[in-house]
């Protein structure tokens, strides 16, 4: 595998909108300062979360259901806005980001879901090309980029297949290819191995690691204890809307409740 | 929007129609039905108005002059009347012509007993109008003209024809408004269903960074295409049916053909084609854009 787009990422992530209350380091790509998010019903989903992630890091976000992981991802995608606190991603101040600027912001993010979310009526090539169409990539370039990224995820021979003709692992690879084809600065993976068997889970995690080694910042939300413990990456553990631990080369902390 | 993106959006608009083919067919069928009714209605109204207009053209106001009036004054009055906006045509009828006409129409062979023209003082102008509703305005003016002794007019005919015209206008507006509302409602339903069917795809688009315009455009294109197809089908059907219906009416009721003057299909289509296409595309556009704005908060 050969993923080389570190330079592109660096150029893209030049800070665009530098207004924020607390100064942040040039190397920081994600900054959350005292972020809380309360829904109209129930306890706050996030409560005073502060998190700093540097360019090129690989971070696991772990925690049980209801710990606030999904809310965190939604905030990073600017699907939600915080009730309190500030969020800055790739230089964008998400609290002040206007609705019409959201698409441009999201084009620098790659996102992978547990349920793959592929377009069922389109083949592998079209699913990946879809992401390029959205950013209006010239057709000539698209015809180079899509096969190249499909080769990267090991699906070069299956570009004509429809999602239902693929295994879960292969579908997740297509989702990964789609997330990566626009060369994002950050890859958010929400339970990427949740629907996969152990073998496919490991293959996907290896791919994520290689993507990270090529320069992309990778955030993986997961329940998979084995993988977290084996990969020895930074682990942020959440519980009831707060960060309870943040360790370099950490492991999965068992819930003592 | 770049050309390739426009091409892609257009393709997606067509694809949407095939993806929701039953709902699309239902919308096309309903718009077609509405525009077919509209077309039929328009053809009937246009023909009816043509008949009314022909009848109006036959309605005239006759003015008679004071005794001993000079020929110069009569000519002067004629010029003044011709200049009026209400007037389409002015015909001078001399006393001799008036007597000849009277003889032919009412007296026949009994006219031989008259040695002199009993209508010696009945030279007149027959004034034909552009619009019968303007008759009273013209009569008011004529009453003020010096040298005019008497004005004959058909108040009942003028009022009736004006009334019919107004009634046709009101009915047309009412029916067209109902048809438009029904069509917009139906196209809105089709687009709503299309959006709910493609909710997941729309979500994926949003996550990848598609703009509102990119997400919404295929639905608007879909609405426009449905509207366009819905307009073309009834135009074709009316084109094929029009001659046959007229031939049937004329053949079945021979009396009518002498009374009624049917318009050629080309005259009907000169107005019906652009109006149907604009209305079809318009309701497709309006129906889809309002629905997309309402249901697609991207």
């Amino acid at each position: 595998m050969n993923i080389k787009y570190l330079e592109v990422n660096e150029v893209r992530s030049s800070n665009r909108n530098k207004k924020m209350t607390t100064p942040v380091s040039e190397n920081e790509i994600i900054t959350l300062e005292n972020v809380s998010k309360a829904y109209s019903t129930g306890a706050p989903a996030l409560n005073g979360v502060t998190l700093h992630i540097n360019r090129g890091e690989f971070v696991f976000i772990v925690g049980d259901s209801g710990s606030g992981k999904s809310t965190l991802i939604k905030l990073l995608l600017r699907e939600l806005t915080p009730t309190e606190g500030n969020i800055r991603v790739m230089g964008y101040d998400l609290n002040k980001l206007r609705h019409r600027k959201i698409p441009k912001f999201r084009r620098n993010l790659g996102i992978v879901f547990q349920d793959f979310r592929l377009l069922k009526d389109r083949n592998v090539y079209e699913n990946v090309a879809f992401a390029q169409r959205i950013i209006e990539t010239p057709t000539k370039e698209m015809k180079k980029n899509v096969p190249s990224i499909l080769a990267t995820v090991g699906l070069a021979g299956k570009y004509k297949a429809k999602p239902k003709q693929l295994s879960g692992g292969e579908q997740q690879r297509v989702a990964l290819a789609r997330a990566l084809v626009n060369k994002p600065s950050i890859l958010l993976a929400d339970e990427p191995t949740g629907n996969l068997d152990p073998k496919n889970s490991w293959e996907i995690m290896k791919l994520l690691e290689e993507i990270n080694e090529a320069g992309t910042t990778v955030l993986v939300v997961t329940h998979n204890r084995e993988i977290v413990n084996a990969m020895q990456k930074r682990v942020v553990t959440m519980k009831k809307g707060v960060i309870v631990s943040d360790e370099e080369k950490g492991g999965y902390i068992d819930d003592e409740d | 929007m770049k050309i390739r993106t426009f091409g892609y959006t257009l393709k997606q608009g067509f694809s949407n129609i095939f993806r929701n083919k039953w709902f699309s067919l239902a919308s096309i069928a309903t718009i077609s039905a509405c525009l077919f009714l509209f077309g039929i209605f328009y053809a009937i109204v246009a023909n009816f108005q043509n008949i009314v207009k022909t009848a109006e053209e036959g309605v005239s106001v006759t003015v008679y002059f004071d005794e001993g009036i000079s020929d110069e004054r009569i000519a002067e009055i004629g010029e003044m009347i011709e200049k009026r906006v209400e007037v389409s045509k002015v015909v001078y009828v001399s006393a001799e012509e008036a007597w000849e006409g009277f003889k032919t129409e009412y007296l026949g062979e009994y006219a031989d007993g008259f040695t002199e023209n009993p209508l010696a003082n009945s030279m007149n102008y027959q004034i034909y109008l552009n619009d019968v509703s303007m008759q009273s305005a013209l009569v008011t003016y004529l009453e003020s003209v010096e040298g005019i002794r008497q004005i004959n007019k058909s108040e009942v005919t003028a009022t009736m024809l004006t009334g019919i015209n107004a009634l046709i206008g009101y009915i047309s507006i009412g029916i067209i408004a109902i048809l438009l509302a029904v069509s917009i409602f139906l196209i809105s339903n089709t687009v709503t269903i299309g959006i709910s069917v493609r909710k997941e795809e729309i979500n994926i688009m949003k996550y990848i960074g598609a703009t509102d315009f990119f997400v919404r455009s295929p639905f608007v294109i879909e609405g426009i295409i449905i509207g366009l197809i819905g307009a073309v089908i009834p135009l074709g059907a009316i084109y094929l049916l029009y001659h046959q219906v007229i031939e049937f009416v004329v053949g079945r009721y021979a009396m009518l053909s002498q009374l009624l003057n049917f318009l050629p299909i080309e005259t009907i289509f000169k107005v019906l084609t652009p109006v149907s296409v604009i209305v079809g595309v318009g309701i497709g556009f309006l129906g889809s854009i309002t629905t997309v704005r309402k249901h697609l908060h991207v």
Side-chain angles (χ1 to χ4, degrees):
Chain A
M1 179 173 308
N2 187 18
I3 304 170
K4 286 180 183 170
Y5 47 84
L6 183 61
E7 282 175 19
V8 180
N9 285 340
E10 283 174 344
V11 172
R12 283 182 168 219
S13 58
S14 60
N15 287 356
R16 297 160 182 86
N17 185 356
K18 297 192 173 177
K19 287 178 193 169
M20 190 144 180
T21 48
T22 316
V24 292
S25 128
E26 275 297 306
N27 201 31
E28 265 183 41
I29 195 160
I30 296 174
T31 310
L32 283 89
E33 293 280 357
N34 295 314
V35 171
S36 297
K37 176 67 190 175
Y39 295 107
S40 51
T41 53
L46 281 189
N47 199 356
V49 168
T50 296
L51 180 66
H52 300 267
I53 294 173
N54 287 333
R55 237 171 264 285
E57 270 196 284
F58 190 117
V59 182
F60 281 115
I61 310 281
V62 301
D64 293 332
S65 299
S67 59
K69 306 189 301 290
S70 298
T71 302
L72 179 67
I73 290 283
K74 283 178 181 171
L75 287 167
L76 292 176
L77 279 168
R78 185 46 173 77
E79 205 179 329
L80 297 174
T81 47
T83 319
E84 273 178 57
N86 293 302
I87 304 176
R88 193 178 184 91
V89 179
M90 297 176 292
Y92 287 92
D93 185 343
L94 298 196
N95 295 52
K96 291 176 184 169
L97 191 66
R98 286 171 181 268
H99 176 80
R100 62 189 171 85
K101 298 270 185 190
I102 295 173
K104 200 178 170 196
F105 159 71
R106 286 184 182 159
R107 287 172 191 182
N108 293 294
L109 291 174
I111 176 93
V112 177
F113 298 97
Q114 180 177 351
D115 54 359
F116 324 128
R117 298 196 192 175
L118 301 176
L119 303 172
K120 293 177 184 70
D121 60 336
R122 297 181 210 188
N123 64 29
V124 168
Y125 182 93
E126 286 161 349
N127 262 284
V128 179
F130 185 61
Q132 292 250 285
R133 287 191 204 285
I134 281 170
I135 61 164
E136 300 193 285
T137 307
T139 313
K140 207 175 162 187
E141 244 179 78
M142 200 189 301
K143 284 181 177 171
K144 272 196 291 179
N145 295 344
V146 177
S148 161
I149 201 74
L150 284 175
T152 303
V153 298
L155 285 174
K158 298 209 169 181
Y159 68 96
K160 277 185 177 171
K162 290 273 172 72
K164 65 179 177 189
Q165 296 170 307
L166 302 174
S167 70
E170 286 170 330
Q171 287 189 56
Q172 195 58 293
R173 283 164 188 264
V174 179
L176 254 178
R178 185 181 63 193
L180 292 171
V181 73
N182 290 345
K183 301 178 171 61
S185 302
I186 301 170
L187 181 69
L188 298 176
D190 191 4
E191 301 281 7
T193 60
N195 281 347
L196 305 180
D197 58 44
K199 182 177 170 281
N200 275 310
S201 296
W202 270 112
E203 282 177 6
I204 291 295
M205 292 316 295
K206 284 285 165 208
L207 260 176
L208 289 175
E209 195 171 31
E210 286 167 24
I211 290 159
N212 173 245
E213 280 164 7
T216 308
T217 307
V218 177
L219 248 81
V220 181
V221 171
T222 185
H223 271 110
N224 196 317
R225 192 181 311 267
E226 256 183 70
I227 285 173
V228 173
N229 289 336
M231 285 186 72
Q232 291 292 294
K233 303 286 185 188
R234 181 178 168 190
V235 180
V236 174
T237 307
M238 296 186 71
K239 191 177 172 186
K240 292 179 181 169
V242 295
I243 293 176
V244 291
S245 85
D246 183 352
E247 289 180 38
E248 289 299 325
K249 297 189 177 181
Y252 201 107
I253 297 172
D254 284 314
D255 191 351
E256 290 163 5
D257 289 343
Chain B
M1 186 190 269
K2 291 177 181 166
I3 292 171
R4 63 174 170 273
T5 310
F6 177 73
Y8 176 77
T9 305
L10 201 65
K11 199 176 152 196
Q12 286 306 304
F14 275 104
S15 303
N16 283 359
I17 292 173
F18 290 104
R19 276 187 203 128
N20 313 316
K21 50 180 174 287
W22 294 114
F23 291 110
S24 304
L25 273 177
S27 292
I28 290 170
T30 325
I31 292 171
S32 291
C34 286
L35 288 177
F36 182 72
L37 285 175
F38 167 76
I40 295 282
F41 184 71
Y42 173 75
I44 292 169
V45 167
N47 274 298
F48 195 74
Q49 276 186 329
N50 184 47
I51 291 160
V52 171
K53 193 161 174 54
T54 311
E56 277 181 359
E57 281 165 6
V59 175
S60 64
V61 173
T62 310
V63 291
Y64 296 94
F65 310 105
D66 291 341
E67 272 185 49
I69 191 170
S70 66
D71 289 347
E72 289 75 28
R73 179 60 188 156
I74 291 174
E76 208 179 343
I77 292 171
E79 279 169 21
M80 284 160 69
I81 295 169
E82 270 177 346
K83 281 181 190 162
R84 299 285 299 177
V85 286
E86 303 94 334
V87 174
S88 73
K89 195 169 69 174
V90 179
V91 177
Y92 177 71
V93 179
S94 66
E96 290 70 33
E97 284 167 339
W99 174 232
E100 281 304 316
F102 188 79
K103 278 198 299 188
T104 316
E105 203 166 338
Y106 300 107
L107 299 177
E109 59 191 46
Y110 303 111
D112 295 343
F114 292 92
T115 51
E116 283 183 17
N117 182 358
L119 301 180
N121 206 21
S122 63
M123 61 280 202
N124 62 71
Y125 278 129
Q126 281 180 1
I127 308 163
Y128 295 90
L129 301 163
N130 282 322
D131 182 348
V132 283
S133 66
M134 292 171 165
Q135 184 180 271
S136 60
L138 180 69
V139 169
T140 310
Y141 167 73
L142 293 172
E143 280 167 354
S144 68
V145 175
E146 212 173 297
I148 291 179
R149 168 171 53 95
Q150 191 186 331
I151 302 162
N152 283 0
K153 58 184 189 291
S154 174
E155 196 70 67
V156 177
T157 315
T159 312
M160 191 182 77
L161 290 174
T162 308
I164 290 173
N165 259 346
L167 185 68
I168 292 171
Y170 292 136
I171 294 174
S172 309
I173 291 167
I175 291 181
I176 290 166
I178 293 167
L179 293 179
L180 289 184
V182 170
S183 302
I184 288 177
F185 172 74
L186 284 160
I187 210 153
S188 164
N189 266 1
T190 307
V191 173
T192 307
I193 291 159
I195 289 170
S196 64
V197 167
R198 298 181 59 206
K199 203 101 197 167
E200 195 181 336
E201 184 179 338
I202 290 162
N203 272 330
I204 295 166
M205 283 174 152
K206 283 160 61 186
Y207 283 127
I208 295 173
T211 57
D212 291 3
F213 186 76
F214 189 92
V215 176
R216 288 169 176 166
S217 303
F219 292 103
V220 178
I221 298 274
E222 179 187 358
I224 290 173
I225 294 166
I226 287 175
L228 189 63
I229 298 171
V232 170
I233 292 171
L235 281 174
I238 290 168
Y239 192 85
L240 294 173
L241 282 174
Y242 190 78
H243 281 301
Q244 291 180 3
V245 170
I246 286 177
E247 273 171 28
F248 173 77
V249 170
V250 171
R252 185 90 184 247
Y253 309 99
M255 276 290 289
L256 283 176
S257 64
Q258 289 162 4
L259 288 172
L260 306 179
N261 182 22
F262 290 106
L263 289 167
I265 187 76
E266 292 74 23
T267 310
I268 299 278
F269 266 59
K270 221 176 258 179
V271 175
L272 190 60
T273 306
V275 169
S276 291
V277 169
I278 290 168
V279 169
V281 169
I283 56 179
F285 177 77
L286 271 181
S288 56
I289 203 144
T290 48
T291 314
V292 161
R293 280 183 182 276
K294 191 174 162 193
H295 295 284
L296 259 189
H297 300 288
V298 289

